[in-house]
Amino acid sequence: MVSVELLVQQLINGLFFGGQLALLAVGFTLIWGVARVLNFAHGGIFMIGAYVGAFTIAATESWLLAIALGMAVTFVLGVGTEAFLIRPLRGRTEFDIAAIIATLGLWFVLEHSMRLVFSSRQRSVDPITREIWIVQDIVINVNRMIIFFISILAIGLLFALIKYTKFGLAVRAAAEDDQTTKLMGVNLPRTYAITFGISTALAGLAGVLLGPIFSVYPSVGDRPFLLAFIVVMIGGLGSVRGTLIAAISLAIIRAVALIWTSAEGAMILLFACMAAVLIVSPEGIGGWIES
Amino acid sequence: MNSESLGILVDRVRKDVRENLETTSGKAIAVGFLVAFVVPFFAGGYSLDVATQALIFILVVTSWNFIAGYFGILTFAHAALFGVGGYAAAILAAELGIPVILAIFLAGIITAAFSLPMAVSLLHLHGAYVAMLTIAYAEIIFFVSVMWRDVTGGPTGYTGFPALFGGDRVLLYYFVLIVVALLVAVQYLFTINRFGLVARAIRESEDAAQMLGNNTRRYKLLGFVFGSTLAGIAGALQAYNIRIISPPVLELERMIEFMAMGIVGGIRSLSGGILGTIVVYGLMEVLRPIGGARLLVWGILLIVAILYFPNGLIGSKDQLGSIQDRVVNAIRERLGR
């Protein structure tokens, strides 16, 4: 029999992890929703953010600076990716597939060039705080809690940006119907590029924040990316709200499953969930709640 | 089928073969096939191993092209199914004492059985969604191969299965050459017949192909399962080639390497798959001294190929195909989609 404490502990761990996962997943789903790009380099960009964060913290010990720099670098990387890699593919009959292949290539380039420069060595990063609270035998890792709240804050800001600004209106319009949006005088290439930058900056932020938990190495983005990928598929590609719900619930399912099975077993379970959702309703959870 | 229609079929195959042999790539493949027979007289040891490996990759990449290039089903499960074939062939021979050659073909059938449920669930999906679902399947197979220690040997892999031909590398090479040549020839026969035409029609516009009275679901199902079977047989050959089968063989990274070979050569033809395999795998062997940086080259190759040679090195001779593209686009624009 599983004790209540263990269950509650795993629920809390799952909730915290879900927030971080959502941060990575929301950017991934955003760029699909707006520009029909499945960015397979998203995990690679997460890794770049983690490196920038690790170096900044090692040099300055300032988390604010690390977050700012990490997001700035990955924003520029995202805009560059859209301008030089994705834009030339637009207009092809199989654009979505061409974009998958191009970003897969970028993922390989990012990961293996970092491996060449910094080797596969794992770099550890100091957490924001080492403090731990114990409430009725339940351990609360304050570092993870702070990361959770920063993630939720960032996602909230994204919601506000999309909902209340003129840029957000253009983004929503482009997701709905790109041709009409163009006719309305929206600069589509610029909208795509900035959206791509925002999407990758969120991945970069996730990389900076998770550096202390995963430590930093060239393939650090692979596993979180796979998890975010599952989250996005279940949440419904392009649905930011569905993704948020899916991230938190899947992270909790995973954490509870880890009581009984290994990390591999949990991945099998999650991928099976994803396959089931894709087969039954390719639109995912987002398909139900948005309609 | 009566004798008259069989006669027409034979005539058409003969005509197509003759036409294809007149093209540069056709000639090159014919010459390459003849050269392949004398390779063991010149090459031994490591270079013979490279040649055997290249042949196995040709089978994987052409069968991926068969699914992805002809039908437009961008599957990511090919490397995982390649691994399933490898495990099946090794385990059948070691645990059940089945003769190795038989085990290799049974592995193909087992892989077909694995691919059938995937094929069925893929039928109603298109484009990027196919990629996602096949990635989910591939990852499930990968994690099962890591976890299921009793059967697969876990993360360290499965070894200690009997060798083929008592470990004679020259005999193994000829066996691989004959199996690969036969299976590529079977794919070729498929593609030049009605089957290949319908496949390309499905790629261009599934709705149109269906409206013309083709049972497109049956074609897609058959195409996916057949291509996957070949991946399984290639995996079985690979298991006996490298004498170990372990989870890294079916990782997503392997899949990307197979894709890179197919895309660089040109995914819309079998000759593209053959050429791409030889060029890319050859390049990687030449670059062996630079070690880990080779993986960087894989990435650059993918990017350059998709940006500048979308039809691969072989190019698109399929003029009909590009005209069809334009027509389909024009109709789509009219309909405002």
Side-chain angles (χ1 to χ4, degrees):
Chain A
M1 194 52 211
V2 181
S3 71
V4 179
E5 281 82 16
L6 181 59
L7 203 60
V8 173
Q9 179 71 62
Q10 288 303 82
L11 284 177
I12 290 176
N13 289 351
L15 180 69
F16 286 176
F17 187 60
Q20 300 149 17
L21 203 52
L23 190 57
L24 193 58
V26 157
F28 184 70
T29 207
L30 177 70
I31 199 60
W32 167 270
V34 176
R36 287 286 173 271
V37 177
L38 268 196
N39 179 14
F40 274 79
H42 210 64
I45 286 164
F46 169 93
M47 175 270 296
I48 299 286
Y51 267 101
V52 173
F55 287 133
T56 315
I57 290 162
T60 65
E61 289 185 0
S62 161
W63 272 87
L64 272 182
L65 195 61
I67 288 173
L69 269 181
M71 289 182 78
V73 169
T74 47
F75 179 84
V76 171
L77 200 57
V79 172
T81 303
E82 150 60 39
F84 297 110
L85 199 59
I86 304 298
R87 199 170 295 163
L89 304 176
R90 218 158 251 145
R92 291 204 191 157
T93 27
E94 290 169 330
F95 167 72
D96 52 348
I97 287 175
I100 289 176
I101 293 166
T103 53
L104 272 174
L106 179 63
W107 168 42
F108 256 51
V109 168
L110 288 176
E111 184 171 324
H112 295 292
S113 51
M114 292 307 269
R115 184 159 284 150
L116 266 187
V117 180
F118 298 113
S119 84
S120 302
R121 194 169 64 82
Q122 298 205 357
R123 258 160 229 277
S124 56
V125 184
D126 287 332
I128 300 173
T129 164
R130 290 187 195 280
E131 200 173 326
I132 279 176
W133 296 343
I134 296 175
V135 186
Q136 312 228 322
D137 287 347
I138 289 164
V139 182
I140 293 177
N141 181 322
V142 180
N143 179 47
R144 285 177 189 245
M145 193 177 68
I146 295 173
I147 293 173
F148 173 77
F149 285 121
I150 298 177
S151 306
I152 297 299
L153 179 70
I155 296 169
L157 285 176
L158 175 72
F159 270 115
L161 179 76
I162 291 180
K163 193 145 189 193
Y164 299 114
T165 66
K166 210 174 166 193
F167 172 74
L169 187 65
V171 165
R172 276 180 290 151
E176 204 65 45
D177 181 344
D178 52 347
Q179 293 306 317
T180 313
T181 310
K182 205 155 104 188
L183 289 175
M184 295 294 149
V186 171
N187 184 342
L188 266 190
R190 217 190 63 185
T191 308
Y192 286 149
I194 294 176
T195 312
F196 216 114
I198 292 173
S199 152
T200 51
L202 291 173
L205 174 62
V208 175
L209 293 176
L210 294 186
I213 296 174
F214 294 151
S215 59
V216 179
Y217 50 97
S219 59
V220 68
D222 296 3
R223 188 59 76 90
F225 172 68
L226 276 182
L227 283 168
F229 184 75
I230 302 173
V231 161
V232 166
M233 297 308 129
I234 292 181
L237 259 180
S239 161
V240 173
R241 233 178 314 166
T243 298
L244 190 59
I245 296 169
I248 304 225
S249 35
L250 279 185
I252 290 176
I253 291 175
R254 177 175 174 273
V256 173
L258 281 175
I259 300 176
W260 292 281
T261 180
S262 63
E264 284 85 18
M267 288 302 277
I268 294 174
L269 180 73
L270 295 185
F271 272 112
C273 287
M274 167 183 158
V277 168
L278 273 179
I279 292 167
V280 177
S281 145
E283 302 292 305
I285 300 174
W288 311 328
I289 58 169
E290 309 265 317
S291 62
Chain B
M1 190 182 282
N2 58 34
S3 64
E4 196 187 334
S5 65
L6 191 69
I8 294 171
L9 189 70
V10 171
D11 277 348
R12 195 168 61 197
V13 168
R14 204 178 286 156
K15 182 172 148 281
D16 270 316
V17 170
R18 207 178 300 132
E19 271 176 15
N20 280 335
L21 272 179
E22 277 165 14
T23 64
T24 322
S25 59
K27 278 181 201 149
I29 287 166
V31 171
F33 180 61
L34 294 178
V35 170
F37 266 96
V38 294
V39 160
F41 296 109
F42 304 105
Y46 183 67
S47 26
L48 188 63
D49 290 348
V50 169
T52 314
Q53 186 64 74
L55 287 171
I56 295 172
F57 282 158
I58 284 177
L59 184 56
V60 190
V61 174
T62 51
S63 60
W64 185 71
N65 274 10
F66 187 81
I67 301 174
Y70 278 88
F71 287 89
I73 306 173
L74 188 82
T75 170
F76 276 76
H78 220 59
L81 292 168
F82 175 78
V84 167
Y87 276 111
I91 292 167
L92 284 176
E95 310 285 333
L96 303 176
I98 291 172
V100 173
I101 294 184
L102 185 62
I104 289 174
F105 289 98
L106 283 178
I109 293 170
I110 290 174
T111 313
F114 264 81
S115 72
L116 189 64
M118 289 187 202
V120 172
S121 59
L122 287 174
L123 284 178
H124 69 290
L125 297 177
H126 296 276
Y129 285 92
V130 169
M132 298 163 207
L133 188 54
T134 49
I135 287 175
Y137 286 131
E139 290 297 320
I140 290 173
I141 293 174
F142 170 75
F143 284 113
V144 167
S145 78
V146 176
M147 254 190 97
W148 203 9
R149 282 162 202 274
D150 296 343
V151 174
T152 64
T156 50
Y158 192 89
T159 49
F161 46 96
L164 187 56
F165 307 121
D168 185 326
R169 302 293 299 179
V170 175
L171 277 180
L172 178 76
Y173 172 82
Y174 279 113
F175 178 70
V176 170
L177 175 62
I178 289 164
V179 171
V180 171
L182 274 177
L183 293 176
V184 171
V186 172
Q187 294 183 74
Y188 172 70
L189 288 179
F190 261 125
T191 58
I192 61 173
N193 278 303
R194 184 182 171 78
F195 188 86
L197 273 177
V198 176
R200 270 171 285 180
I202 289 173
R203 182 187 70 204
E204 301 301 341
S205 165
E206 188 169 346
D207 293 338
Q210 203 162 18
M211 265 191 287
L212 291 171
N214 297 299
N215 186 343
T216 54
R217 298 174 135 247
R218 203 177 61 194
Y219 278 95
K220 279 169 84 176
L221 209 63
L222 187 62
F224 190 87
V225 173
F226 176 66
S228 302
T229 308
L230 300 191
I233 293 177
L237 294 174
Q238 177 73 348
Y240 287 95
N241 178 34
I242 58 173
R243 309 280 297 114
I244 175 174
I245 173 92
S246 57
V249 169
L250 34 80
E251 250 176 356
L252 209 52
E253 291 208 353
R254 292 294 88 65
M255 186 63 240
I256 294 165
E257 293 174 6
F258 294 156
M259 285 170 67
M261 293 194 252
I263 289 164
V264 167
I267 71 168
R268 297 195 163 186
S269 65
L270 294 175
S271 49
I274 297 173
L275 183 73
T277 308
I278 293 172
V279 168
V280 177
Y281 181 63
L283 178 68
M284 289 303 152
E285 278 306 313
V286 173
L287 292 179
R288 192 165 275 281
I290 67 170
R294 285 191 304 165
L295 288 159
L296 183 60
V297 179
W298 282 110
I300 295 170
L301 275 178
L302 264 181
I303 291 176
V304 171
I306 199 68
L307 280 179
Y308 303 109
F309 311 96
N311 296 313
L313 292 173
I314 225 97
S316 179
K317 293 199 201 70
D318 198 357
Q319 283 303 319
L320 201 68
S322 72
I323 292 168
Q324 235 168 340
D325 269 355
R326 252 175 277 158
V327 173
V328 169
N329 278 341
I331 293 172
R332 277 202 189 131
E333 266 171 29
R334 286 281 147 74
L335 295 175
R337 290 171 62 190

